[in-house]
Amino acid sequence: MTPAAELLMAALPPLTFSTHQVVISAVLQPTYDVGGDAFDYAVDGPRARVVVLDAMGRGLTAGLTSAATMAAIRAARRAAGDLPAMARAADRALTDQFADARFVTGLLAELNVEQGVVQYLNAGHPLPILFRDGRAIKTLTGGRRTPLGVRHQDGEVGAEQFHPGDRLLIYTDGVTEAYDRDGARFGTERLTDLAESCMADRLPPPETLRRLAYTVIEHQGGTPSDDATLMLLEWSAEAAARTQP
Ligand SMILES: [Mn+2]
């Protein structure tokens, strides 16, 4: 692995975390020269917070950009910052630490595990998909702001009421923008259909993501051109019992 990949991989949390109220699972399929994807999460009392990032650029630059962004977001979270404060901390880190312009797209979300309310900010990131009863019912289109690293006026935070068993699929563009040899995009429809079929088979979140990531790689003929990251956030009283494949 490259130094950038080592730095980033060492900073990532375990791939799956579960309590009796929530399951968070992620996969990050890196390219050989690092596309700059990263993910993070923390469960603190009633709040489960997740972050998926994709730094623009490649190699050491993208890896360092992503690592600095993740560190800034973690520090803001530990200082009891809300989602806009976490995004502002990332903006500041990117503009203060680097002389050149560095941008990171990101999805930051907070689930209240008692109430099922999800708040989220979308900094130029692909739209997350909400699954209910195993069907994709909508994409979350609120909470839009500029990519992290671009000066920004605080706007509205997106909000969504989860039902028990709801799952939110968050992913980077390395998933949907994966092309096969004939130039066909992987796309959101393929992603959604496959996720629904895994859910119909009642597969646990880690196995669902493993199959999705494998299918993305297979689509590209085994040579990915960008990092591909997928995360599932599931609000469920019994999902924790299903995190073991
Ligand atoms: Mn990407």
Side-chain angles (χ1 to χ4, degrees):
M1 284 206 291
T2 62
E6 289 284 359
L7 187 68
L8 206 50
M9 292 300 159
L12 298 179
L15 294 179
T16 298
F17 174 92
S18 62
T19 71
H20 63 290
Q21 290 168 310
V22 65
V23 178
I24 300 163
S25 195
V27 289
L28 194 169
Q29 186 62 54
T31 54
Y32 293 108
D33 62 348
V34 182
D37 279 11
F39 68 87
D40 195 22
Y41 59 80
V43 178
D44 173 19
R47 294 184 301 188
R49 284 177 291 196
V50 302
V51 178
V52 174
L53 301 172
D54 181 1
M56 290 174 199
R58 305 188 70 76
L60 187 60
T61 301
L64 288 176
T65 304
S66 195
T69 306
M70 193 153 105
I73 289 173
R74 276 184 180 163
R77 187 180 70 217
R78 289 187 181 132
D82 58 8
L83 295 176
M86 288 156 64
R88 281 196 305 273
D91 289 339
R92 269 198 309 278
L94 291 168
T95 51
D96 293 355
Q97 299 291 325
F98 304 108
D100 51 344
R102 305 258 181 130
F103 311 124
V104 179
T105 75
L107 197 292
L108 290 74
E110 175 174 325
L111 166 68
N112 181 307
V113 299
E114 309 287 350
Q115 316 290 338
V117 175
V118 174
Q119 292 184 295
Y120 62 97
L121 275 183
N122 185 337
H125 204 75
L127 302 179
I129 306 168
L130 179 61
F131 294 82
R132 180 164 299 156
D133 302 323
R135 308 292 299 177
I137 59 161
K138 66 191 317 193
T139 52
L140 301 195
T141 56
R144 305 286 272 275
R145 53 150 289 163
T146 55
L148 303 169
V150 180
R151 295 234 175 254
H152 172 78
Q153 297 278 345
D154 272 353
E156 296 246 316
V157 174
E160 190 71 31
Q161 175 67 54
F162 270 24
H163 293 193
D166 278 5
R167 299 174 177 96
L168 189 65
L169 178 63
I170 304 167
Y171 58 92
T172 59
D173 63 1
V175 173
T176 44
E177 300 300 319
Y179 288 87
D180 70 10
R181 287 196 184 93
D182 301 322
R185 274 173 87 240
F186 191 76
T188 49
E189 198 176 310
R190 218 183 298 256
L191 175 64
T192 303
D193 289 350
L194 184 58
E196 284 181 346
S197 87
C198 290
M199 289 172 197
D201 291 342
R202 300 189 58 74
L203 296 179
E207 177 61 15
T208 298
L209 295 183
R210 194 192 67 76
R211 289 190 191 193
L212 292 176
Y214 175 79
T215 309
V216 171
I217 298 265
E218 198 181 44
H219 182 78
Q220 295 169 102
T223 47
S225 55
D226 191 11
D227 286 3
T229 301
L230 294 142
M231 177 186 276
L232 263 178
L233 171 65
E234 178 170 350
W235 187 50
S236 167
E238 40 87 52
R242 295 190 285 106
T243 47
Q244 296 302 320

